[in-house]
Amino acid sequence: MHPRGPNRRTALRGAAGALALAAVSGCTWREPPSPAPVFVVATGPPGAVYREIGAEIARLLDERLPGTRVRTVETGASHDNLRLIEAGEAQLGLANLDSVMAGEVAGADPLRAIGRLYDSFVHLVVLDGSPVRRLGDLEGRRVSVGADDSGTEFTADQILAETGVGMEVVRMNQADSARALGRGEIDAMFSLTGLPTPAIADLAERHVIRLIDLSDAAAAMAGVRPEAYFPASVPATTYEGVPSCPTMSVPNLLLCSADLSERLAHLVADTVYTGARRIAASRPEAAQINVRTGISTGAVPLHRGAVRWYRENKPA
């Protein structure tokens, strides 16, 4: 297995190359065996929890699918993952519930959920010496809202549209945003991801940082979409030297195409939920993965294979 493929296109290149070789070899050469089926998990960008959680899920699936090549692809995150699944370029992908709902998901939609995994938390991060003390202080400042097509970008855009705060927007992934903030190239960064976020944890080890109180924005957003946005707090122990801070959370879903076979969807659900402890060994937010909350996917329908697994494993 190759858990961190360089991009979405290389995930399927190996199979295509093998088929091309077979086509030109004719009778002179012995044709190679047919390539193993490819199962692609769309994850996220460097410095983000999606990338690490997705890699752990892919490792577990690799053990359960011996005749299949399980791969991950690095993506921009939520919106990128949704497009890859809908295009048939990935079989699984992670996405924030608000990003999915922006597409008005319904029963006829090509997307289905394996289940709810964990919640992401909105971070608004500044260096300790920054004059920014509240969301409105971002007015006119240079701020990263996450990578193109990421869940961070989508949610940050929703917050800014609702609150009317204007700023100079730049779009960088988690790792690049943290580096730019540390170098003073931007004034603040948004991040929507699990706890702790690798890029922010690394930044906190090298610089004194602060999280901006987003309680007012959280209340406003929960009023707009109460099924997707929830007032929450980043705990005090999450990042070195950073106290607890009010913010909001968004559920994360593991998604697939509606035409994924019932057998495979059932196997994926079984793999993820019975393997949650193994995933949590490297990613603490995976401790939230459980059968009771797994079915809470909001407006996104569960895949019929996942539904069967939940019925078979209903808590007593």
Side-chain angles (χ1 to χ4, degrees):
M1 180 188 68
H2 304 282
R4 301 186 187 275
N7 58 54
R8 72 191 72 160
R9 300 184 186 281
T10 57
L12 304 178
R13 190 176 294 159
L19 288 172
L21 177 61
V24 301
S25 60
C27 299
T28 305
W29 302 98
R30 182 179 178 182
E31 293 186 2
S34 298
V38 177
F39 194 91
V40 180
V41 182
T43 61
V49 172
Y50 271 12
R51 188 176 181 186
E52 299 190 7
I53 289 281
E56 293 301 323
I57 290 173
R59 289 188 183 99
L60 294 179
L61 287 173
D62 195 54
E63 297 173 6
R64 299 286 301 273
L65 296 167
T68 301
R69 292 188 298 154
V70 180
R71 291 190 164 190
T72 63
V73 286
E74 179 184 306
T75 70
S78 289
H79 282 259
D80 215 3
N81 294 349
L82 295 175
R83 281 203 294 266
L84 290 175
I85 294 172
E86 291 174 349
E89 295 182 40
Q91 283 67 54
L92 287 180
L94 295 97
N96 301 316
L97 179 57
D98 61 337
S99 294
V100 185
M101 291 180 63
E104 301 301 326
V105 175
D109 193 271
L111 290 171
R112 293 290 184 272
I114 296 296
R116 177 173 173 170
L117 297 183
Y118 64 96
D119 292 348
S120 281
F121 292 74
V122 178
H123 301 60
L124 178 54
V125 188
V126 299
L127 297 183
D128 188 52
S130 170
V132 175
R133 295 287 170 179
R134 59 188 183 87
L135 182 64
D137 293 339
L138 295 180
E139 190 74 37
R141 298 186 184 277
R142 185 173 171 83
V143 181
S144 174
V145 297
D148 284 321
D149 293 325
S150 66
T152 296
E153 179 194 39
F154 178 81
T155 303
D157 284 349
Q158 303 305 300
I159 292 172
L160 299 177
E162 184 66 24
T163 59
V165 177
M167 63 185 68
E168 182 185 350
V169 168
V170 295
R171 291 175 172 81
M172 296 183 286
N173 66 37
Q174 310 274 1
D176 289 342
S177 295
R179 284 191 286 266
L181 182 58
R183 292 192 295 260
E185 296 170 358
I186 58 175
D187 297 299
M189 65 174 282
F190 279 97
S191 173
L192 175 65
T193 185
L195 301 176
T197 301
I200 298 174
D202 181 64
L203 180 67
E205 291 178 358
R206 295 181 287 108
H207 301 273
V208 181
I209 66 170
R210 287 188 286 109
L211 296 177
I212 301 301
D213 185 327
L214 294 175
S215 53
D216 289 345
M221 299 306 296
V224 173
R225 279 205 158 158
E227 68 277 25
Y229 299 123
F230 302 88
S233 291
V234 176
T237 56
T238 306
Y239 303 107
E240 183 177 347
V242 180
S244 174
C245 185
T247 185
M248 68 185 207
S249 64
V250 182
N252 288 291
L253 307 183
L254 182 61
L255 301 170
C256 64
S257 172
D259 61 11
L260 186 71
S261 75
E262 183 173 339
R263 180 189 67 82
L264 270 177
H266 184 279
L267 182 143
V268 170
D270 187 64
T271 300
V272 170
Y273 288 96
T274 61
R277 288 187 179 180
R278 291 179 58 185
I279 301 173
S282 59
R283 288 308 319 172
E285 53 277 286
Q288 298 178 44
I289 299 174
N290 66 82
V291 177
R292 293 183 184 277
T293 59
I295 61 173
S296 301
T297 57
V300 186
L302 286 165
H303 191 286
R304 61 188 182 280
V307 170
R308 181 163 65 86
W309 187 86
Y310 287 118
R311 285 174 178 166
E312 294 169 355
N313 294 273
K314 185 177 181 180

